[in-house]
Amino acid sequence: MNTVKTLRELRAAISQARAEGKQIGFVPTMGNLHAGHVSLVEIAAQRTDFVVASIFVNPLQFGAGEDLDKYPRTLAADQEKLLAAGCHLLFHPDVSEMYPSGLQSQTRVIVNGVSEGLCGASRPGHFEGVATVVTKLLNMVQPDLAVFGEKDYQQLAVIRTLVRDLNMPIQILGAPTQRAEDGLALSSRNGYLSTEQRAIAPALYRSLEEIAAELRRGARDYTRLIDAAQARQRAAGFEPDYLEIRNAVTLQPAAIDDRHLVILTAAYLGHTRLIDNLLLELPAQ
Ligand code: PAF
């Protein structure tokens, strides 16, 4: 697996793979890779012939006071994991390669609708930063297929929307969230948790499972379900940010007769903000 830092080197390597008739798969990341990222690369490797991954901690998607500076940079360990997962080429650009004219004068991509609310409300500018860097990366790599985790469910919806709206001929594949044995969704930010917080953290997913169980039993008073689940999050030691039941396709607040639902939450454990979601298909009544 080669690691390249410039767009020129990236394009040369991809042109060669294309000339050999290879289909290109792409997995964009910010590094500090865990088994969730590895599963995305493995999926790309099963479906395409030449897998490109990127590691770029994108300053445009971090707000003031967020963890841009302390976001873990673990290149050597990441390279080993990518190689073992079947990656052929790693793109690891510097900020100046991605944003040669500076952050301020960079053209931005704004995805209306699905970017609003949820993480979009709590992290102003975040999805503009994500949409901008993902658009640039997709244009740089020009893959046939790009794989993103369902763990960042709203981000996946934003990316599907921008690819559709900007007519990019790229298949976007969402891959299931990978979890620890106790249910905690794998995330680079889990590394910020103390031992005590790590023991509490699985309660976040349990709060989603409890709502899902009630919905399966026929409960439809969403407000009551959410209030009760947020009370349980608080009792476990979380400071809830949001907890919502939405239509899994449109991301609009769920209507009472919606069957394909996603329950999404974000909550703080100390200074660490964790997000999770649960997809749910209710039987037709
Ligand atoms: O999910 C991530 O790691 C990032 O938001 C992404 C998609 C690589 C864009 O920086």
Side-chain angles (χ1 to χ4, degrees):
M1 182 188 78
N2 264 345
T3 298
V4 296
K5 291 190 73 69
T6 65
L7 178 56
R8 198 177 50 78
E9 295 167 298
L10 176 75
R11 289 226 158 115
I14 291 173
S15 294
Q16 185 173 337
R18 284 265 182 231
E20 290 165 8
K22 292 180 175 160
Q23 292 273 298
I24 310 293
F26 181 42
V27 180
T29 80
M30 298 203 300
N32 193 28
L33 305 181
H34 50 66
H37 298 107
V38 168
S39 76
L40 306 183
V41 175
E42 287 171 346
I43 289 170
Q46 284 157 12
R47 289 168 181 256
T48 60
D49 315 302
F50 188 82
V51 179
V52 182
S54 63
I55 294 179
F56 178 63
V57 183
N58 173 33
L60 221 52
Q61 70 188 74
F62 288 78
E66 292 190 345
D67 54 344
L68 173 62
D69 293 335
K70 72 168 182 172
Y71 202 88
R73 273 86 167 165
T74 53
L75 180 63
D78 291 347
Q79 284 169 317
E80 277 181 30
K81 289 176 192 167
L82 289 171
L83 179 63
C87 180
H88 300 95
L89 180 68
L90 170 61
F91 182 44
H92 179 49
D94 290 330
V95 174
S96 59
E97 184 71 9
M98 287 301 287
Y99 301 116
S101 309
L103 297 184
Q104 291 315 317
S105 50
Q106 169 65 46
T107 300
R108 309 290 177 108
V109 178
I110 296 173
V111 178
N112 293 314
V114 290
S115 294
E116 291 153 21
L118 306 168
C119 287
S122 314
R123 304 184 66 189
H126 170 65
F127 285 122
E128 185 178 316
V130 169
T132 301
V133 81
V134 170
T135 300
K136 286 173 71 78
L137 287 166
L138 292 177
N139 282 335
M140 289 170 164
V141 175
Q142 300 187 353
D144 299 285
L145 167 80
V147 191
F148 295 84
E150 283 177 351
K151 151 97 185 344
D152 298 295
Y153 196 83
Q154 190 178 14
Q155 168 174 283
L156 179 58
V158 167
I159 292 164
R160 285 191 197 284
T161 305
L162 82 82
V163 164
R164 185 197 65 210
D165 287 356
L166 300 179
N167 308 98
M168 295 181 174
I170 299 169
Q171 184 192 350
I172 301 297
L173 195 67
T177 302
Q178 300 294 305
R179 299 185 178 278
E181 270 185 21
D182 58 12
L184 178 65
L186 299 188
S187 163
S188 300
R189 290 190 168 102
N190 293 350
Y192 297 152
L193 300 173
S194 67
T195 310
E196 193 182 290
Q197 289 169 334
R198 175 63 189 78
I200 294 170
L204 193 66
Y205 186 54
R206 279 203 300 277
S207 70
L208 302 182
E209 289 183 310
E210 284 157 3
I211 295 179
E214 293 223 40
L215 289 169
R216 284 194 195 97
R217 283 195 289 269
R220 289 294 178 273
D221 184 345
Y222 297 152
T223 308
R224 182 186 67 76
L225 295 177
I226 287 167
D227 288 349
Q230 284 196 313
R232 285 193 295 270
Q233 288 185 355
R234 275 199 192 86
F238 285 95
E239 184 50 43
D241 178 357
Y242 65 76
L243 176 58
E244 297 200 30
I245 303 172
R246 298 247 173 155
N247 180 297
V249 178
T250 63
L251 267 192
Q252 289 300 302
I256 228 65
D257 56 350
D258 276 348
R259 293 280 156 265
H260 192 27
L261 302 176
V262 57
I263 314 164
L264 306 111
T265 192
Y268 287 90
L269 254 187
H271 294 298
T272 305
R273 185 173 178 278
L274 298 179
I275 63 171
D276 206 346
N277 68 79
L278 190 157
L279 274 163
L280 180 67
E281 189 76 50
L282 294 175
Q285 279 177 337

